[in-house]
Each structure stands twice: as structure tokens, then as C-alpha cells.
Amino acid sequence: MREDEVVTMRGIYKEFPGVKALENVNFTLRKGEIHALMGENGAGKSTLVKVLTGVYPKDGGEICISGVEGPVNIKSPQDAQDLGISTVYQEITLCPNLSVAENIFIGRGKYTFVNKRAQEKKADDILTRLNIPTKGAQQLGSCSLAVQQMVAIARAVDMECKVLILDEPTSSLDEREVALLFTLMRDLKAKGVGIIFITHFLEQVYEVCDRITVLRNGHYVGEYLLSEMPRVDLISAMLGKHAEDMTNLKNEKRAVSKDAEVVYSAKHLSSAEGVRPFDFVIHKGEVNGFTGLLGSGRSESVRAIFAADRVTGGSVEVDGVKKKIRRPKDAMKSKIGYLPEDRKGDGIIQDLSVRENLILAMQVLDGFFKPLSKRKQEEFADEFIKLLDIKTASKETPIKSLSGGNQQKVILARWLLTHPQYLILDEPTRGIDVGTKLEIQKQVLKLAKEGVSVTFISSEIPEMLAVCQRLIVMRDRKIVGELQGEELSQDVIMQTIAGGEVQNA
Amino acid sequence: MKKLFVALLVLVAAASFVFAGGAKEGAASGSGTIKVGIVNNPPSESGYRAANVKDFENTFNAANGYDVKTYYSLKNDEQLNAASQFITDGVDYLLISAAATDGWEATLKSAKDNGIQVFLFDRLMNVPEDLYEAAIVSDMPKEGETAVAWLKAQNLPEYNVIHIQGAMGSDAQLGRTGAMDKEFAAGTMNKVVQQTATWDEAEAKKIVESVINSGEDFNVIYAENDGMAKGAVAALDEAGITHGKDGKVIVMGFDCNKWALEEVLNGNWNYDGQCSPFQATQIDEWIKTGSRPSTKIVYNPERYFDAATITAEEVEQFGI
Amino acid sequence: MPDNAKQIENKGSGFLQKVTGAIKGLFQSQLAIPVIALLILVLFNLIRDPSFFSISINTNNFGNKVLSGNLISILNGASELVILAIGMTLVTSATRGQDISIGATAAIAGSVFVKILRMGNITVGTIILGVLTACVVTILFCLFNGVLIAKFNIQPMIASLILFTAGRPIAYAINGGATPNVQSNLINYLGGYIPYVPIPTPIIIVVIFIVAISIFLKRTTMSLYIQSVGINEKAAKLNGINPTLTKLSVFIILGVCVTLAGCMNVCRISLINHETILKDIEMDAILAVAIGGNSLGGGKYKLSGSILGAYIIQALTTTLYAMKVSSTAVKAYKAIVIIAIVVVGSPVVKAKFSQLKGIIASQISKKRESKRVQAEAR
């Protein structure tokens, strides 16, 4: 082990029943560097981190930590912590009802009595040292998500860590908050902490990282200095063969003629979630998008279409016929499908198998007294696992043990199975890797070609530009513009969202 | 939180509705009537209690010259509140069957200070004897002794007993078990099995079934209440073992439920010991005549019924 | 020749693999713990008394030839618990909580049943009428819990606490007085044996009920709906399932279960004691669900697990009776065994076990590897 290295992992193996999660993976973290760990979902990033933090025992290989003679055996997260390895997860694992100070110190002292004042003062010191804009006495729940995230980091850092692992810390933060977080990361780096940074956002990798290790399918692809690694090369390292597809995607998008028949139209639709009454039309084979900032009402609007929230007014026509859509089931009967934004909360049925999750919507449509036979269910499952290339140990695996991208594919398959004529996809690509993203985008375009109308929502504007023919722009729960054709450019969209003058709207 | 609160509210309301039944106003409170406050356990507590409550209703009513207020609860603190209320209301007599033995001293003192006479029935409490006029209760150990004495008098060549106990620690269980335990200890009777069925009929059946399955011989079933005796007999019937007057196994029960006495009358059972719920007449006499017993605690005279001697009239008269 | 031999060997090992695979599958499934627990109980009894499970034919006091023995006693005695455990499993799955009022509502069911029977002569007709009336009344009571839980989102345990306390007094009010009894051969047939049928009727009823509910769950999407609602209510709703309706239907099923159990228990003894009938059965039913490896936090369930759990509880009780454990200690023994089963089935212990298994497996493969290397070296 060289002087400047903090962690070296050599030839790591890890196998789960039916899956080789890691095969001969190497990883080196140096002192005072920010090291991105990249790869598609299921590439083995999380597994590698969990081996390092003692959540999973490794099946082979060795791990060395600076300051410890010889290879170490990390058997539990506690061991990892004792060795100076701290982790901050995507979901904040602190207690929102306690104060910031309590969160920083909870479960660490071996004292029965706590001097609250002293604790808060100590917390304030740490917070100022790290430039975190909060006070020790403040209740954690009242801080912004970014600050909460930073408090989690402060807690980790104060445990005198040598290694800080950040697992998708930015996925729920806005730009300003991300910038704050990055400042903190750079500070820590300057103090000599080695940081492992896991994210799906390429931009962010290029903004803060020094070095990058790429994994693919549980294999080690390579370690690169970021300054010597162009984006395209990085992507092809992550995806292997997929890379050139990206450029092809745009060509598949086709124009839909104005006079294509209207599949769904709504007038003055409103819901209990506070969307202003809005009109909306979608044509056969069209892909449209709702865009706007988070909270602009884009999700609430499509939820109103599917009656996911209580519909409070408006009239709806499907195929030119007046329909009452008051409950999700009404929408489903009108051949509308809805992939919700919150995959975990609204989409997957965690403990049920891939097969059961896949057939759920179709089963409900078929009716209470017509359960699909097990054989039929298996056929469907096999078909879609193959069609969408869902990576799962088997069709009986609980969906919760799949990676996010594959869970999303199952939900997509669930709706494809109902043969919808209008499919609403709310953030289908959030938090999933580039490869799966691409597959889902391709699938959307393929559906459109087959005559299915799709509403596609994404917070990444380039992605919307790649698939949508028409964009509805929302601000403050109101539609403020509709863009198509030449108007579909990043600049015009930004302007419209921001509330500048919009032409032709 | 709000929902929890609403639920609790409903719960409390339901509970007080069911248990309390509210303090019932008696007949018109003329000057010639005797004002009585009765604090008892609710009739739903047991068949015994139902008969007990009925007995008091039959005796203490307007027709007999009483102005009665009654309060039923299984909870001691609720009973205490009701008793205090009755004292405030200025009753002449307070009749109490306490849910628990402790905590009554202050209340009884205040009754005494207010010149209210207190009678205890069915259950005693931990208070100095001078705080109440008299108490009438069942003598559970004596019930057990009577039963065991009767059993000994049958002069069986040997006694192999299945002893089914009530809920462990209850007065009835302790009393009725005591006499039998003495015999087991003395070796005059052989304990095949001694097990609690916690007053549960179906459980009693399972206990007897398990003895039958083990192939052990037995000729007496001593069940500490009627229900469990009935459960035990169900097991005998299914196994083809005869019982009762001309049968192989002697069946004994307690409480004198009407249907149980009918079983005795029909010769299916041999013995049923009384646990008399009829205490109202005695208290009525104490109040009306002003007489008091020589000892503060009086045991209700209790009898037993033998398949050989029981009559249909007795079934009618003593069945509860 | 080696080819042929190899083939045979392969075939043999293939079959062996299948068997070991099936056993492995069982051990990895949630049924592992209850099955092992039951096996240990059986073994323990066989060692203690080899004739423990022997079955004999007796003539009962009504002149019928009937089967008897501990095995029959266990199967017979667990009947009510099995039926209630099934209902409890479904309630647990859909509502992520337990209905603790089933003992009390069973008392109501039994009381209504007895009330109807005591109105006149007991005939097949009045018995059917009695069961149906009891069923309707009980379902209404169960729906009371159901509405509190499904509509008002009150925690199941708190919602059912109302009937838990009020149920038995209500049952008392239905008949009043002491312990009303119902004497009839027909009742004896239902609680004991039907003439010329040597198997206790409760066992037959349980078998029919299990078959019926299995068919119901197979022929409808109930099971999928219940689990979906229990695991992720919001997602279920977005897939067109009506969570409120699903939960209410679970309580209707529970109502049927409770009615069956209550009426069955009345028939056994031909009387109802509202205070003692199926007392504390709710705790045993919840335990059966837990022993069966089902999460009390709801979601995925296996009915077979709960059914096994119910029989384990009864087998345990029967064993303790046969061992003549003293009255004061019987509950303590039961508690110890059940704690042991539940602890062994806990995720923590399971994880330790699989870790252990992993270590052993790697040791074995290492040994094999070294042997292979040795062989190659030669």
C-alpha cells in the first residue's frame, strides 16, 4: 500500500444466489481526492460500497486501510466506522424530530447524561468549521434537504473519518443546494479526507471529481483521471456497446401530423392537489411532455388525468366519447396507463415478485373473478423480462431486490401489458442509469410509432427534447406555454419556465 | 393523534355504557321507603353473577319498600366513585360486592360518619370489621370439603381423580382445590391429573381427552364448575366411557346451573355443589328486623345435590 | 462402458438433486421454522411415549365407531384456532395490524346461534338459520372494526379494542342469564361425530373450510389485492384496486371465520359461556400467524404457515397436558417454547444461520478445490 492511499480493495468477489455481483474488482482511494464510482444500475457500485462498509461480507479479495497493518476484515458497519469509514446515504437516515446537535452526536457517546448546552456548542463549532448554514439547536426537520444532507455529512466527518462515502447525495437537491454540498466536499478534500462519490449525474462528476472508477456488470473496467477522460469515452466505458445508440435516438423521433385523431381531451380539469383547471389534448401516436420546475404542477396535472388524486372538476373525452374518470380504475378502463413519479411510494409493490408486479394492472382490469392462471402470468413475465431486458435473478424475485432501473422497467411492463392507448410516464428515468434511460426512451418512441400516445415527464430537459414532439410548460400550477417544432430548444424552454416573453404560445 | 383520541373516546363511551349501565333510579322516593345503594359486578361477569343480580333485583325493589340505586362495574375505582356518590345522595344502606379487596377503607369510613350502614355480600374486603354491619359470603373451602366428604362417602375401592381447576388464583379455585389437595397429599385419593382449564369448557374437554389418550385409568372427574364438568363429560361420551349414576366415572361439578342440575337429575352426573348467589333475603332480613349476626362474617348456607336423591322441584328451586 | 455408467450416475444424482432441491427450497422458505418446530414436537413426543400418536377405534356413548388418539385430539382441538388464524392472516396482511376482538365477536356469534336455537325445536333448518343469522350479525360487528380501520384509518389494534372490551358483555346481553345450553343430537353431531363418520366433525369442517377458502382465493384476485394493499396501499390504488373495499372484504371473511369458530365451539359443549368461549384465542391466532413465518407488519402472507402455526400451538398444549405439567406452569412452558420458535424465525437469527451456511459452504468448496488440485498434481 502506497503512502498516499487510504483504501485499497483488490480482487473483490461477491456472489448472491444466482447473481455474481462483483468479480475481481479493484478500487483505490487516495488521500484528499474525490473519487467517482460510476456504472449503470446493477453494475455493482452499491455492492462494492456495502462490502467496504461491512454490510455484506465479501466472498473473496482483500481490503487494506491506511494505518492498519495487513488486510482488514470488516464484518459490520460498526467495524467500518471504527476504521474511519463513514457513509451518507441517498435517503437521509437522521431523526428529523431531534435537533441538529443531537443528530450529530446521537448514539456516539458512552455517557448516560448529556450536557445539552455543551453539545450544541460543539455542534456549532463543527458546523461553522464546515460552513454549514445551520445551528446546533435547530430542529433537523426544519432545515432544507441539502442542509440535512450536510448534517449527515457533518456527523460522519466528526467521527474522524478517513473515508467518506456519499451514495447519491444530490438526487433530491436543487442546483443551489448541490453547489453548497460541493463546497463542503471540496473543503473536506482539502482537509485530506478521501471521498467516494456515487451519482448518476455526469455534470456533477465533471464538476467535483478528480478520479473515476468505472464498473460494468460487476466487473472492473478501469480507473481514470477525470481530466484525461472525455465524456463520450466515459459513457462508452460505462455502457460498452450502447454508446453509439444515443446519437441515433434523435433520428427516430417523428413528426405527428396535426390532423391525427384526438385520443384524449380534457376541459377545465382540476384536482384536489391544487392544479388550476386546465385544458389538454393528445393525439394518436403523439409524445408530449409536461415541463416546469419541481412543484410547478406538472406531476399534479397528469395525476389529475389519471384520477390519481381526487378530481374536483372538468370534463373528459376519450376517443371523442364523454367519459367519467373519477378513480384510477376508470382511467384504466379508458386504456390510460400511468407510471408514477414516486417509484417506491406509488409504483412497486415491494414484497411481491416481479411476476406479480408485472401482471397487477392487467389483473385488475380483467376483474375480480378472473384471475390469470399461473402459467399465463409466467408467460407474460418471461415475455416482458426478455422484451425489456429486465435484469432479475428470476421472475419470482421480490421486486424490491431489483435495482431502480429494473424496477422501473417492470412498472413500464405492467402498463404495456394492459395495451394502453395513452400512457403517462412521470419521470420514468429518474435515478436510473444512462443505459436503462436510453432503453426506456427508445421504448417510448417505439410505442409512439405503434400508435400509442405518450405523455413523458422528465426533469432533464435534453431528455424531453429527445423524445417529445410537444411540450407543455407549467409554472405555479398553471400552464404557461405550449412549445413545438422549432420552439423545442433548451433556450426557449428555459425562457418559458422562467416567465420571459414567449412567442407563439 | 386525533383519530386515536376519537377511538379512545368511543371506547370509553362504549365501555361505560356496557359496564356501568348507569346508576338506575329506583321507584318514587317516598318518606316511607328505605333508600339502598347497591354496588355490584355487572351480570355479564358470569352466570353466577347474573343470578346474584337477579336475586337482588327480586328482593330490593319498590314493591318491598325500597328505593334502590344500583351501580355495576368490574373496576374497583368506578365502584368506589359510585359508592361515594351514593353516600352523597344520602342512602340509608350501602350494599357492596367489591371488585377488588383493597382501597375501600376511606369510603366505608365516610359512610359510617354519615350514619350509613354497610353490608358486604359475596366478597369480603380488607377493612376493619367495625366499618361494616355484616357480610354474607360463600364459603368456598367448605364447598370443596363438602364435595370431597361426599366423594369419600361413596366408598369406592379406589379413587383415581381427574381434577379440573378453574382460573388459577381465583377464590373459587383456591377453595375448591384445597380439600382435594389434602386427599391427594394424604394418599387417600390418587391424582391422575390436575390441570387448569381456566373455567373454559372446551379446554376441560381437551384435558380429559388427553388422559383418555394416554390410556390411564380414572373413575372420578372433579371439575370446579359446571361448564368444565360438561366439557369433561363430552370427552367421556366421545370415548365411549360411561358416567353418572350407573356409569364407570363419577362426575362432580359446582355452581348449580339449572341445566347442570338436570344432568344430575337425569343421572348423567353424580354431584353438583351449590355456590349460592342468593344473599339478598338475608340482607333484607337484617335491614328490616334490625337484627345482626353474632359474628360479622356469615357464610351462606350451601347445599349439594346427589343424583340419588335430587328431585325435579329442587332443580326448579335451586337451579340458577 | 464409462459413458453408460456416467449416464446412470447422472440420472441418479439428478433425482437426488431434485429431492435435495425440494428440501433446500423448503428450508429457505418461510415454512422452514414451523415445519421444523412441528417435527421437533412430534419427535419429542415419540421419544417420550412411542404410542403418543397411535390411533384407535372406539365405540362412543352414542353407539358410533369413532377414531381417537392424541393426533385426532390435536387436529380436532385446533379447529377453531385454524379457522381464526386464517382470518387473522388475511386481516394482518391487508391492514398491517391485528383484530384483537375475534374472541369477543366469536362469543357474540355463538350467542346469536344459541339464541336462534333456543327459540324452538332444534332441526337442521334452525341450525342453518342460526349459523346464517350469526354470520350476518358477526359480519356486521367485524365490519364495525373494518370501517374504523379502512375508512377512518384507526390502528387495527385500537379499533378492535372497542369490541375486545364490549363484545362479551354484548354476547351476554343477547341471551341474558347464566350459561344457556342447547341439547340436541344434531348439535352433538356438529361438535362431535356424525353417525357412521369416524372423524370428528370439526376436523371435517376445517378441511372443507380450507378447501373453500383456497378455491375462493384461487378463483378470485383477492389474495393479490390483499397483499398489494398491505404492502403499498398507494401503489395498489394507482393500479385500480380499491383499498377500502379490499380491507372491508377482509373483515367480511373474518366475520365468516369468527362465526364458524364460535358456532363450532358452542356445538362441542352444547352451551355458551360468553365469558370463557374462545377466551384469549386472539392471542393464539396472532401467534399462529407469527409462527407461520408471516409478518405481523402485513403484506405477503402464506396461509399454510398460519395453519401450521395453529396446529403447532395445539400440539404444544396437548403435549403439555400429556406431560401433566402443573397448572401454574403450563402457560410459562407454552410461552418459552413459542418465544423460542419466534426468535429462531426472526430475521436476525435467520441471517446468522445463512451466514453460517455460507461459511460452511465455502469451507466445503475450498476442501474440494484443494482435493482437485491434489488430484491434478498427481
Side-chain angles (χ1 to χ4, degrees):
Chain A
M1 201 165 167
R2 284 177 29 202
E3 191 67 4
D4 60 337
E5 290 170 356
V6 210
V7 174
T8 53
M9 301 173 81
R10 289 280 161 266
I12 303 294
Y13 282 86
K14 176 70 201 170
E15 201 175 329
F16 295 114
V19 192
K20 280 187 177 140
L22 294 174
E23 274 189 276
N24 196 15
V25 170
N26 300 326
F27 180 77
T28 308
L29 182 69
R30 292 157 193 82
K31 221 172 153 182
E33 75 168 357
I34 302 180
H35 194 135
L37 190 54
M38 300 281 295
E40 293 188 72
N41 277 348
K45 301 175 305 251
S46 303
T47 314
L48 187 66
V49 165
K50 283 179 176 159
V51 166
L52 179 58
T53 53
V55 178
Y56 298 145
K58 61 182 189 296
D59 293 341
E62 60 176 47
I63 303 174
C64 295
I65 307 276
S66 68
V68 182
E69 197 65 35
V72 290
N73 190 7
I74 305 173
K75 282 180 299 217
S76 70
Q78 192 59 48
D79 285 358
Q81 224 163 63
D82 295 344
L83 288 166
I85 302 171
S86 294
T87 317
V88 175
Y89 292 100
Q90 180 175 6
E91 283 90 13
I92 291 162
T93 47
L94 302 178
C95 312
N97 52 342
L98 297 183
S99 74
V100 168
E102 283 168 318
N103 266 296
I104 293 178
F105 295 107
I106 194 171
R108 288 174 38 196
K110 291 192 169 61
Y111 327 99
T112 323
F113 299 102
V114 181
N115 181 344
K116 210 168 167 189
R117 191 87 46 82
Q119 201 181 50
E120 275 164 14
K121 201 174 161 300
K122 209 170 149 204
D124 284 342
D125 288 349
I126 299 167
L127 293 169
T128 24
R129 193 152 42 93
L130 297 175
N131 286 323
I132 300 172
T134 182
K135 288 270 168 239
Q138 197 173 354
Q139 193 187 335
L140 186 78
S142 65
C143 303
S144 73
L145 278 182
V147 171
Q148 293 192 26
Q149 195 73 263
M150 291 162 97
V151 170
I153 294 171
R155 173 183 162 83
V157 172
D158 187 55
M159 297 203 241
E160 294 177 0
C161 70
K162 284 179 268 187
V163 181
L164 177 64
I165 302 168
L166 300 173
D167 189 353
E168 300 237 24
T170 56
S171 57
S172 48
L173 305 187
D174 68 23
E175 239 165 82
R176 203 180 47 84
E177 293 172 326
V178 170
L180 268 176
L181 181 67
F182 284 176
T183 318
L184 174 58
M185 283 166 69
R186 291 197 188 98
D187 282 357
L188 290 173
K189 173 181 151 181
K191 292 189 170 96
V193 178
I195 300 177
I196 303 175
F197 183 45
I198 301 176
T199 182
H200 283 301
F201 298 104
L202 281 185
E203 302 292 333
Q204 297 179 356
V205 170
Y206 277 91
E207 204 180 324
V208 285
C209 296
D210 306 305
R211 216 180 284 259
I212 180 164
T213 292
V214 178
L215 301 181
R216 192 168 70 228
N217 272 334
H219 290 269
Y220 170 76
V221 176
E223 186 196 84
Y224 314 96
L225 265 175
L226 215 62
S227 50
E228 296 164 5
M229 186 75 170
R231 256 163 231 235
V232 185
D233 292 356
L234 173 57
I235 290 173
S236 57
M238 282 162 62
L239 301 187
K241 63 188 165 58
H242 298 308
E244 69 273 19
D245 290 357
M246 269 256 264
T247 41
N248 296 339
L249 190 65
K250 271 215 166 106
N251 306 333
E252 285 182 37
K253 196 171 105 183
R254 341 156 283 140
V256 172
S257 61
K258 262 279 177 198
D259 39 79
E261 54 186 296
V262 172
V263 170
Y264 172 94
S265 71
K267 281 207 162 48
H268 304 299
L269 194 62
S270 62
S271 81
E273 289 302 300
V275 193
R276 308 265 179 90
F278 67 99
D279 296 348
F280 174 71
V281 171
I282 190 159
H283 302 268
K284 189 173 165 72
E286 185 189 353
V287 182
N288 93 321
F290 279 76
T291 183
L293 297 175
L294 208 70
S296 62
R298 49 174 210 229
S299 289
E300 288 79 2
S301 299
V302 293
R303 283 177 74 88
I305 294 173
F306 190 70
D309 303 319
R310 195 164 54 81
V311 177
T312 50
S315 64
V316 166
E317 280 182 15
V318 178
D319 289 332
V321 183
K322 232 175 139 62
K323 280 269 164 68
K324 257 202 172 148
I325 295 183
R326 291 284 177 238
R327 295 174 302 145
K329 198 168 177 187
D330 299 336
M332 288 161 70
K333 280 187 189 150
S334 296
K335 307 193 89 175
I336 301 174
Y338 167 64
L339 183 144
E341 178 190 12
D342 181 0
R343 186 192 340 120
K344 262 193 194 153
D346 290 343
I348 60 171
I349 311 281
Q350 285 81 349
D351 299 306
L352 292 190
S353 66
V354 170
R355 166 178 60 81
E356 287 165 307
N357 266 286
L358 213 145
I359 55 104
L360 186 60
M362 186 195 205
Q363 182 62 82
V364 171
L365 269 178
D366 272 10
F368 185 73
F369 291 104
K370 284 192 190 132
L372 294 161
S373 70
K374 183 96 185 260
R375 196 176 50 84
K376 201 87 193 151
Q377 294 185 14
E378 282 173 349
E379 272 174 33
F380 284 135
D382 287 336
E383 183 190 334
F384 277 90
I385 287 172
K386 210 172 138 205
L387 184 72
L388 299 182
D389 192 23
I390 299 169
K391 290 196 183 69
T392 170
S394 91
K395 50 184 174 285
E396 299 304 327
T397 312
I399 193 168
K400 65 178 174 193
S401 43
L402 268 58
S403 69
N406 284 306
Q407 290 180 2
Q408 199 66 289
K409 282 182 183 176
V410 175
I411 308 297
L412 184 62
R414 175 194 289 172
W415 290 109
L416 293 184
L417 192 56
T418 63
H419 299 294
Q421 60 172 345
Y422 174 29
L423 188 56
I424 302 164
L425 305 174
D426 194 354
E427 297 264 21
T429 57
R430 179 201 274 183
I432 65 181
D433 58 274
V434 188
T436 314
K437 232 177 213 175
L438 210 64
E439 282 175 53
I440 288 180
Q441 291 164 5
K442 276 204 296 198
Q443 198 65 41
V444 167
L445 292 177
K446 193 174 138 224
L447 283 169
K449 211 183 245 169
E450 289 163 4
V452 179
S453 315
V454 181
T455 290
F456 187 95
I457 296 179
S458 167
S459 36
E460 289 177 44
I461 289 169
E463 190 183 23
M464 300 273 273
L465 288 174
V467 289
C468 297
Q469 292 140 6
R470 186 162 59 102
L471 273 184
I472 291 168
V473 184
M474 297 195 73
R475 186 180 347 117
D476 296 335
R477 314 210 154 220
K478 215 165 58 184
I479 294 179
V480 292
E482 195 171 322
L483 310 173
Q484 50 193 319
E486 291 302 306
E487 299 160 339
L488 289 179
S489 74
Q490 191 125 7
D491 290 344
V492 179
I493 296 170
M494 290 299 191
Q495 248 175 42
T496 319
I497 291 176
E501 284 303 303
V502 182
Q503 298 93 30
N504 312 328
Chain B
M1 200 54 223
K2 215 161 128 196
K3 280 167 184 159
L4 185 78
F5 177 72
V6 171
L8 281 179
L9 210 67
V10 174
L11 180 71
V12 169
S16 54
F17 168 72
V18 169
F19 288 123
K24 285 182 205 150
E25 283 296 328
S29 50
S31 54
T33 56
I34 305 165
K35 284 204 235 171
V36 179
I38 302 177
V39 177
N40 200 346
N41 296 284
S44 61
E45 183 215 40
S46 61
Y48 168 85
R49 188 66 57 188
N52 179 246
V53 166
K54 208 167 170 195
D55 180 44
F56 274 77
E57 281 172 358
N58 288 340
T59 307
F60 293 95
N61 52 33
N64 285 339
Y66 287 104
D67 173 14
V68 189
K69 290 177 193 291
T70 318
Y71 187 85
Y72 301 121
S73 176
L74 282 171
K75 290 188 186 126
N76 214 38
D77 53 337
E78 289 182 9
Q79 285 194 339
L80 281 164
N81 283 336
S84 305
Q85 184 61 44
F86 290 154
I87 294 168
T88 317
D89 291 350
V91 295
D92 302 318
Y93 298 95
L94 202 49
L95 279 43
I96 304 171
S97 173
T101 50
D102 293 311
W104 285 91
E105 194 161 339
T107 309
L108 294 202
K109 235 177 214 144
S110 114
K112 194 170 184 183
D113 296 344
N114 284 291
I116 298 168
Q117 299 195 352
V118 176
F119 293 100
L120 308 184
F121 63 96
D122 180 51
R123 289 186 187 174
L124 294 173
M125 48 177 76
N126 282 335
V127 289
E129 283 200 349
D130 63 306
L131 287 182
Y132 56 88
E133 292 296 306
I136 176 161
V137 294
S138 291
D139 190 347
M140 306 281 188
K142 184 150 179 256
E143 287 169 22
E145 280 156 23
T146 312
V148 170
W150 174 89
L151 184 57
K152 270 173 143 172
Q154 304 308 302
N155 282 324
L156 302 185
E158 57 173 353
Y159 289 90
N160 296 315
V161 183
I162 297 181
H163 179 182
I164 304 171
Q165 297 169 292
M168 298 305 285
S170 60
D171 284 346
Q173 180 269 324
L174 292 172
R176 293 166 192 175
T177 295
M180 196 42 97
D181 269 347
K182 265 184 223 151
E183 300 301 323
F184 289 153
T188 45
M189 291 185 189
N190 175 25
K191 173 165 77 177
V192 175
V193 77
Q194 185 182 49
Q195 184 60 264
T196 177
T198 56
W199 305 125
D200 184 341
E201 298 78 6
E203 214 53 42
K205 178 170 177 241
K206 288 178 189 172
I207 291 168
V208 176
E209 251 177 46
S210 111
V211 179
I212 296 170
N213 290 334
S214 74
E216 276 181 270
D217 202 31
F218 60 93
N219 59 355
V220 177
I221 286 179
Y222 181 83
E224 290 179 0
N225 79 355
D226 285 340
M228 297 193 296
K230 191 159 167 82
V233 167
L236 296 183
D237 281 339
E238 280 181 11
I241 298 169
T242 58
H243 50 83
K245 211 159 121 188
D246 308 309
K248 177 186 166 230
V249 175
I250 287 182
V251 178
M252 303 172 70
F254 288 91
D255 288 352
C256 288
N257 283 288
K258 200 170 207 174
W259 53 263
L261 291 183
E262 276 160 7
E263 296 279 5
V264 178
L265 184 68
N266 295 335
N268 290 328
W269 297 10
N270 303 68
Y271 177 97
D272 203 25
Q274 194 187 20
C275 178
S276 175
F278 308 120
Q279 298 129 356
T281 327
Q282 177 65 68
I283 296 178
D284 178 46
E285 188 198 313
W286 286 336
I287 291 176
K288 290 259 173 77
T289 64
S291 70
R292 294 292 179 267
S294 51
T295 55
K296 284 261 167 155
I297 299 171
V298 173
Y299 292 108
N300 215 6
E302 286 174 335
R303 37 196 302 169
Y304 67 85
F305 301 95
D306 183 336
T309 57
I310 190 168
T311 65
E313 290 74 38
E314 284 175 327
V315 174
E316 277 309 311
Q317 192 188 342
F318 295 100
I320 63 172
Chain C
M1 117 71 201
D3 256 25
N4 235 344
K6 230 178 214 167
Q7 248 174 21
I8 290 165
E9 199 188 319
N10 274 346
K11 237 185 194 168
S13 68
F15 176 72
L16 242 166
Q17 258 169 17
K18 246 185 207 167
V19 172
T20 51
I23 293 173
K24 243 191 194 165
L26 178 66
F27 273 76
Q28 273 159 6
S29 91
Q30 65 171 78
L31 295 183
I33 302 299
V35 166
I36 292 171
L38 196 59
L39 283 178
I40 290 175
L41 259 177
V42 167
L43 268 178
F44 174 78
N45 275 311
L46 282 178
I47 293 166
R48 204 178 50 77
D49 172 13
S51 68
F52 187 78
F53 288 109
S54 64
I55 293 176
S56 59
I57 298 180
N58 285 332
T59 310
N60 71 6
N61 280 352
F62 311 104
N64 298 321
K65 292 230 179 299
V66 300
L67 293 175
S68 66
N70 280 315
L71 193 59
I72 300 287
S73 291
I74 292 169
L75 292 176
N76 188 4
S79 301
E80 289 94 334
L81 186 56
V82 169
I83 293 172
L84 290 174
I86 289 173
M88 187 65 88
T89 309
L90 299 180
V91 166
T92 300
S93 171
T95 68
R96 278 167 260 139
Q98 287 75 37
D99 185 325
I100 56 167
S101 71
I102 55 172
T105 39
I108 295 175
S111 296
V112 172
F113 181 57
V114 168
K115 176 96 182 163
I116 299 284
L117 292 185
R118 281 166 71 88
M119 281 178 175
N121 283 335
I122 296 174
T123 63
V124 175
T126 53
I127 288 176
I128 292 173
L129 180 73
V131 173
L132 288 181
T133 317
C135 201
V136 172
V137 174
T138 313
I139 285 175
L140 286 179
F141 276 104
C142 285
L143 277 178
F144 170 75
N145 288 342
V147 168
L148 288 182
I149 291 161
K151 269 270 174 209
F152 295 92
N153 261 332
I154 296 173
Q155 285 176 8
M157 221 169 255
I158 290 174
S160 54
L161 198 54
I162 298 169
L163 275 179
F164 174 77
T165 41
R168 290 184 190 271
I170 291 172
Y172 162 78
I174 291 170
N175 282 301
T179 46
N181 63 335
V182 279
Q183 286 305 358
S184 156
N185 280 339
L186 289 173
I187 296 295
N188 285 340
Y189 295 164
L190 287 178
Y193 294 84
I194 298 169
Y196 308 112
V197 180
I199 298 166
T201 318
I203 297 181
I204 299 172
I205 294 175
V206 165
V207 170
I208 294 173
F209 180 71
I210 291 175
V211 169
I213 196 125
S214 308
I215 290 176
F216 172 74
L217 292 177
K218 217 178 162 71
R219 289 284 163 84
T220 66
T221 57
M222 195 75 210
S223 161
L224 185 67
Y225 285 16
I226 291 174
Q227 297 184 62
S228 300
V229 169
I231 296 166
N232 190 341
E233 190 169 330
K234 265 170 33 191
K237 202 172 166 191
L238 287 179
N239 280 290
I241 299 172
N242 184 337
T244 311
L245 203 66
T246 307
K247 286 183 191 169
L248 289 181
S249 26
V250 165
F251 279 93
I252 293 177
I253 299 175
L254 181 70
V256 175
C257 296
V258 167
T259 312
L260 273 181
C263 295
M264 184 185 279
N265 202 273
V266 166
C267 290
R268 282 184 195 277
I269 321 292
S270 307
L271 69 79
I272 179 149
N273 180 342
H274 65 274
E275 270 306 308
T276 58
I277 181 175
L278 297 175
K279 197 164 178 63
D280 297 340
I281 192 98
E282 49 277 343
M283 294 307 147
D284 278 350
I286 294 170
L287 263 179
V289 175
I291 291 175
N294 293 310
S295 160
L296 293 187
K300 225 171 154 44
Y301 69 81
K302 256 204 168 111
L303 278 190
S304 48
S306 303
I307 294 171
L308 260 179
Y311 285 118
I312 288 172
I313 291 173
Q314 185 56 51
L316 180 59
T317 312
T318 304
T319 305
L320 291 176
Y321 285 159
M323 288 171 68
K324 297 188 185 170
V325 172
S326 86
S327 297
T328 40
V330 74
K331 276 198 175 142
Y333 277 105
K334 226 170 146 176
I336 289 168
V337 175
I338 283 162
I339 288 168
I341 296 174
V342 175
V343 167
V344 170
S346 70
V348 177
V349 178
K350 268 189 180 164
K352 281 264 181 262
F353 262 121
S354 59
Q355 233 176 7
L356 203 72
K357 230 162 52 186
I359 292 167
I360 294 169
S362 68
Q363 294 276 348
I364 291 172
S365 65
K366 257 185 207 161
K367 254 185 204 160
R368 271 194 198 145
E369 185 70 8
S370 63
K371 261 187 196 164
R372 200 177 57 82
V373 171
Q374 274 172 13
E376 266 171 19
R378 266 180 227 153

